[in-house]
């Protein structure tokens, strides 16, 4: 298709594809073969480097497409060039409620089939009626797979170590549990848990220099956060929060913005932009963006750019794409040095972002 150009200030936006049904996650294929994009209603598609969108790829698991649920994030196996394994996270139903599940299948050479899909993780118990699945997938440099899990709309559960709501979990690529996970010797806790006390983390990325996982998560009304989750640590929800209920009433369990025994956020938005996808800029094409962290915003309908100062303090620099008035669901740093975003809509778009 012909690329459309929208210019605001020094930002250049190119539309690569449109007509996507609430796209949620994307992963770049090697050797300029385009990318894979998930649609929340349950389809996985291949988008070529020139923007051609494939028919749905066969072999994707059935998803629970209600509320915020559906087919969610995607990640390529670290050894994709050899295995061709593609990992998907999605909401999986169970009677009247659902939870996040993760599995993988082998992408056929013609990119029309996901073969032998195998589920390797299930959020238990299933507690969501359509809210807060979290669901970002990130592999670290040692082959661990991190999965962010929302609280399913059940506020107290992120503090319960025998349940998988409101957690970041860490497993291996085959679904087994690393022997050095922080709670593997605690009979009262789930072995998969890496950190807890999270509300709904919908953005996650690996820091390109430190190799540490960073996440962003939705607060309630106010108090969206960036955290760098450490092994066994408690990130506070719902006992520590900067937010209140959507009704304006206090969070019943909250004891303050900072509570002893919990980790303070690395960055807080007192007014919630409704954060989603997250990426570190790793390209060389635009030196002005070196060191930048990009975060999608749903409610604020923008792409937020942040940086760290010399002391490691996160500072917001600007909000981009406001003129498009689009909910930004995912953001990735492309191998070509551009930033790529997905817009969350019935007619969702894949956009390539650069500087003039």
């Amino acid at each position: 298709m012909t690329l459309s150009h929208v210019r605001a200030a020094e930002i250049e936006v190119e539309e690569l594809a449109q007509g996507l049904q609430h796209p949620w996650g994307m992963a770049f294929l090697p050797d300029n073969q385009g990318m894979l994009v998930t649609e929340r209603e349950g389809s996985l598609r291949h988008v070529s480097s020139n923007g051609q969108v494939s028919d749905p790829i066969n072999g994707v698991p059935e998803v629970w497409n209600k509320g915020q649920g559906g087919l969610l994030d995607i990640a390529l196996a670290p050894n994709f060039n050899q295995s061709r394994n593609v990992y998907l996270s999605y909401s999986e139903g169970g009677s009247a409620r659902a939870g996040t599940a993760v599995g993988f299948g082998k992408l056929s050479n013609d990119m029309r089939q996901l073969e032998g899909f195998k589920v390797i993780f299930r959020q238990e118990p299933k507690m969501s009626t359509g809210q807060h699945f979290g669901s970002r997938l990130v592999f670290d440099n040692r082959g661990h797979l991190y999965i962010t899990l929302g609280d399913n709309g059940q506020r107290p559960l992120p503090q319960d170590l025998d349940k998988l709501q409101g957690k970041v979990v860490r497993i291996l690529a085959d679904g087994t549990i690393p022997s050095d996970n922080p709670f593997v010797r605690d009979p009262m806790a789930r072995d998969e848990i890496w950190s807890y006390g999270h509300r709904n983390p919908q953005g996650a990325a690996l820091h390109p220099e430190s190799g540490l996982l960073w996440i962003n998560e939705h607060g309630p009304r106010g108090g969206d956060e960036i955290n760098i989750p450490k092994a066994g640590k408690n990130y506070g929800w719902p006992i520590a929060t900067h937010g209140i209920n959507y009704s304006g009433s206090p969070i019943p369990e909250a004891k303050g913005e900072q509570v002893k025994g919990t980790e303070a956020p690395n960055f807080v938005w007192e007014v919630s932009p409704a954060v989603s996808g997250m990426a570190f800029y790793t390209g060389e094409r635009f030196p002005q963006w070196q060191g930048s962290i990009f975060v999608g915003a749903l409610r604020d309908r923008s792409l937020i750019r942040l940086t760290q100062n010399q002391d490691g303090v996160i500072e917001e620099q600007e909000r981009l794409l406001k003129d498009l008035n689009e909910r930004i669901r995912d953001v990735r740093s492309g191998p070509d040095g551009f930033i790529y975003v997905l817009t969350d809509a019935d007619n969702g778009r894949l956009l390539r972002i650069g500087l003039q």
Side-chain angles (χ1 to χ4, degrees):
M1 64 178 297
T2 302
L3 300 180
S4 63
H5 295 260
V6 181
R7 287 181 171 86
E10 296 182 350
I11 299 296
E12 183 173 80
V13 180
E14 298 177 275
E15 180 187 277
L16 289 183
Q18 61 176 316
L20 299 164
Q21 296 293 311
H22 292 279
W24 212 94
M26 55 181 155
F28 289 95
L29 294 164
D31 303 323
N32 198 33
Q33 296 181 80
M35 66 180 69
L36 300 175
V37 175
T38 60
E39 295 175 308
R40 199 179 67 211
E41 51 80 30
S43 295
L44 174 64
R45 297 183 188 268
H46 173 240
V47 181
S48 69
S49 56
N50 64 1
Q52 292 183 321
V53 180
S54 75
D55 291 334
I57 294 171
N58 296 317
V60 173
E62 181 180 353
V63 305
W64 194 82
N65 180 25
K66 297 179 184 178
Q68 298 169 6
L71 183 59
L72 302 172
D73 207 15
I74 181 169
L76 303 186
N79 66 344
F80 177 81
N81 284 336
Q82 292 76 43
S83 70
R84 296 190 64 81
N85 286 337
V86 174
Y87 287 74
L88 298 174
S89 66
Y90 59 99
S91 55
E92 179 185 62
S95 64
R97 299 193 175 218
T100 300
V102 176
F104 68 90
K106 181 179 180 180
L107 183 67
S108 62
N109 289 330
D110 62 8
M111 291 187 280
R112 295 181 179 179
Q113 180 82 25
L114 204 59
E115 301 168 346
F117 191 86
K118 177 184 178 183
V119 178
I120 61 169
F121 171 83
R122 288 184 165 98
Q123 184 183 32
E124 296 171 340
K126 290 180 168 64
M127 297 293 290
S128 179
T129 58
Q131 294 178 292
H132 299 185
F133 293 95
S135 213
R136 289 295 173 191
L137 302 175
V138 176
F139 278 99
D140 71 10
N141 296 324
R142 296 170 55 201
H144 300 114
L145 174 59
Y146 292 90
I147 308 166
T148 71
L149 299 172
D151 68 2
N152 290 172
Q154 309 293 321
R155 263 198 324 267
L157 299 189
Q159 295 297 317
D160 292 350
L161 291 174
D162 62 343
K163 299 179 180 65
L164 293 176
Q165 277 71 28
K167 311 297 190 296
V168 173
V169 302
R170 185 178 77 151
I171 60 176
L172 297 175
D174 62 358
T176 56
I177 297 168
S179 61
D180 60 346
N181 268 10
F183 296 107
V184 292
R185 292 174 180 84
D186 185 343
M188 305 301 292
R190 294 293 301 251
D191 293 348
E192 302 97 324
I193 294 173
W194 177 256
S195 60
Y196 64 107
H198 303 287
R199 185 173 181 268
N200 190 23
Q202 287 195 345
L206 206 67
H207 192 284
E209 295 176 3
S210 71
L212 296 177
L213 177 72
W214 287 42
I215 65 171
N216 66 50
E217 51 187 291
H218 291 267
R221 182 174 167 183
D224 288 8
E225 300 178 358
I226 291 177
N227 289 300
I228 307 173
K230 296 179 178 141
K233 298 297 185 180
N234 181 357
Y235 289 82
W237 178 253
I239 58 176
T241 179
H242 287 247
I244 58 176
N245 275 319
Y246 295 114
S247 66
S249 64
I251 302 297
E253 300 86 355
K255 299 177 181 178
E257 293 179 350
Q258 295 188 27
V259 175
K260 185 178 180 180
T262 70
E263 304 300 306
N266 289 81
F267 186 82
V268 177
W269 287 272
E270 298 293 346
V271 177
S272 294
V275 292
S276 192
M278 183 178 191
F280 293 94
Y281 183 70
T282 55
E284 298 180 356
R285 184 182 292 268
F286 304 115
Q288 306 96 308
W289 283 350
Q290 289 294 329
S292 294
I293 308 149
F294 287 91
V295 173
L298 298 166
R299 180 179 178 273
D300 191 67
R301 295 174 176 260
S302 63
L303 179 64
I304 301 171
R305 185 172 75 89
L306 308 107
T307 58
Q308 285 181 280
N309 66 21
Q310 291 182 339
D311 298 320
V313 176
I314 300 169
E315 301 173 335
E316 183 171 322
Q317 296 298 323
E318 57 186 336
R319 297 195 180 189
L320 309 172
L321 311 185
K322 290 283 287 185
D323 58 314
L324 297 184
N325 194 31
E326 297 263 23
R327 286 163 53 89
I328 304 300
R329 173 60 73 183
D330 197 15
V331 53
R332 307 285 169 125
S333 182
D336 56 2
F338 288 91
I339 289 290
Y340 289 76
V341 303
L342 292 173
T343 67
D344 178 35
D346 290 335
N347 181 22
R349 300 195 290 164
L350 169 64
L351 306 175
R352 183 165 61 196
I353 314 299
L355 294 170
Q356 295 180 11

